[in-house]
Amino acid sequence: MAFNDDDKKMADKSAQRMEQALATSKVAADTYIDQTEAAPLTKGEINRMAFRSLALQASFNYERMQAGGWLYTILPMLRKIHKNPEDLKNSMHMHMEFINVHPFDVTFLSGLVLAMERGKENISTIRAVKVALMGPLGGIGDALFWLTLLPICAGIGASLALEGSLFGPILFLLMFNIAHFGLRFGLAHYGYNAGTSALPLLKANTKRISHAASIVGMTVIGALVASYVRLSTTLTIDAGQAHVALQTDVFDKLMPNLLPLGFTLLVYSLMKRNFSPVKLIGLTVVFGVVGKLIGFL
């Protein structure tokens, strides 16, 4: 059956209408139906969001990482912002997508996202901000908390505990959590109040912040190695009537705490080769016991 020119024109028009309908539906799915700006969130609601962020990793999985905990963190605020059920559904659907961010500074991102949700930004824009900030916030969080704050607090607490003070672990928990919760709640308010204006500042200073925190953290870890890793040898070298103690006459004169440094670097290199921490702890215990029994440690 042959088609005439009129049939072809009608078919082309139908195809154009379908394309326009598809394009319109995509735009509609990316924008909220109710474009009215929601009422501002109160300080209590932002604090509630920061408190709920403690459960960020409660439903952690390898498909969507922290998505369940992320949605739980901001869900009451989303219900306040989106009065239209379809808008709420689309927002929740988007926030159940993959997300992986540091659990301590996540409140900065959740505050910023809630500010964008309140302003009824496009869903694709909010998604893009989440994806763009996951990496920088993860790097800053690791450098600030794991490489800086934790070693400093643990070092102070451990030094008191080694002297027999029961206040050592208590001081460690107090110092770490005062800084942790102060930043968690403070970043929630800062992220919400700053909104998207904080993005250029964060992106411009991410490397500087991470680099500075890494330097401080590495310095603290180096001091902890010298203070708390104890390793010395009792071996001596007899040359005629001369007796040379390897530890005091050789190693200590080359560099104090040379053996602890060498052992720490050995453990680090094994970790880089995917040795599990449990195996390394076991090897350390065996090495110490055997070395003491044989008499060279």
Side-chain angles (χ1 to χ4, degrees):
M1 182 178 178
F3 289 96
N4 55 33
D5 293 338
D6 292 336
D7 293 333
K8 290 181 180 180
K9 289 179 181 180
M10 291 179 62
D12 291 339
K13 288 181 180 180
S14 299
Q16 290 177 359
R17 291 195 188 98
M18 290 181 64
E19 290 177 358
Q20 291 175 356
L22 288 172
T24 303
S25 64
K26 289 180 179 179
V27 171
D30 189 38
T31 58
Y32 291 119
I33 298 171
D34 183 4
Q35 287 291 310
T36 305
E37 186 173 296
L41 298 179
T42 64
K43 291 183 178 180
E45 288 169 332
I46 297 174
N47 288 334
R48 183 186 180 192
M49 176 268 289
F51 182 77
R52 288 169 70 96
S53 71
L54 292 169
L56 178 70
Q57 304 196 100
S59 63
F60 187 93
N61 62 83
Y62 289 102
E63 180 183 1
R64 301 186 182 188
M65 292 293 183
Q66 302 159 332
W70 165 264
L71 180 58
Y72 173 81
T73 299
I74 62 176
L75 185 55
M77 282 52 71
L78 290 180
R79 287 196 173 112
K80 176 180 178 179
I81 291 170
H82 297 298
K83 301 300 183 182
N84 186 289
E86 192 68 21
D87 287 344
L88 179 61
K89 183 186 76 171
N90 291 335
S91 178
M92 291 175 63
H93 185 269
M94 183 269 292
H95 286 301
M96 272 302 292
E97 295 173 357
F98 177 95
I99 184 172
N100 186 29
V101 68
H102 197 281
F104 286 3
D105 60 14
V106 65
T107 52
F108 172 81
L109 180 58
S110 54
L112 190 151
V113 164
L114 286 175
M116 297 179 70
E117 290 278 8
R118 176 177 172 262
K120 303 300 175 71
E121 295 284 349
N122 289 351
I123 293 176
S124 60
T125 303
I126 300 173
R127 179 187 292 114
V129 169
K130 287 173 57 181
V131 173
L133 292 188
M134 281 193 290
L137 287 176
I140 291 175
D142 288 342
L144 186 62
F145 290 102
W146 302 148
L147 296 180
T148 305
L149 181 63
L150 182 61
I152 291 174
C153 297
I156 295 172
S159 63
L160 291 175
L162 288 173
E163 294 175 0
S165 174
L166 294 176
F167 192 60
I170 298 174
L171 181 62
F172 160 67
L173 291 173
L174 285 175
M175 292 176 60
F176 184 81
N177 284 298
I178 286 173
H180 159 218
F181 280 100
L183 284 171
R184 184 182 288 269
F185 283 83
L187 287 173
H189 289 274
Y190 177 73
Y192 177 74
N193 293 326
T196 53
S197 63
L199 292 177
L201 182 64
L202 179 68
K203 291 182 178 179
N205 294 284
T206 294
K207 291 184 178 180
R208 294 179 183 179
I209 296 171
S210 299
H211 184 63
S214 297
I215 291 174
V216 175
M218 291 298 102
T219 303
V220 172
I221 290 175
L224 291 176
V225 169
S227 301
Y228 298 119
V229 180
R230 299 176 182 178
L231 181 63
S232 60
T233 180
T234 58
L235 294 177
T236 60
I237 299 176
D238 298 326
Q241 295 182 349
H243 301 281
V244 179
L246 284 178
Q247 185 64 50
T248 57
D249 297 332
V250 180
F251 294 141
D252 287 346
K253 290 184 177 180
L254 287 174
M255 178 189 292
N257 297 307
L258 179 62
L259 288 181
L261 175 62
F263 185 75
T264 302
L265 293 176
L266 174 63
V267 172
Y268 177 73
S269 65
L270 292 175
M271 290 185 67
K272 294 285 286 185
R273 297 180 182 180
N274 295 324
F275 271 71
S276 70
V278 176
K279 290 182 180 179
L280 291 175
I281 292 172
L283 289 174
T284 301
V285 172
V286 171
F287 176 70
V289 172
V290 172
K292 182 66 176 179
L293 291 176
I294 295 177
F296 72 88
L297 293 180

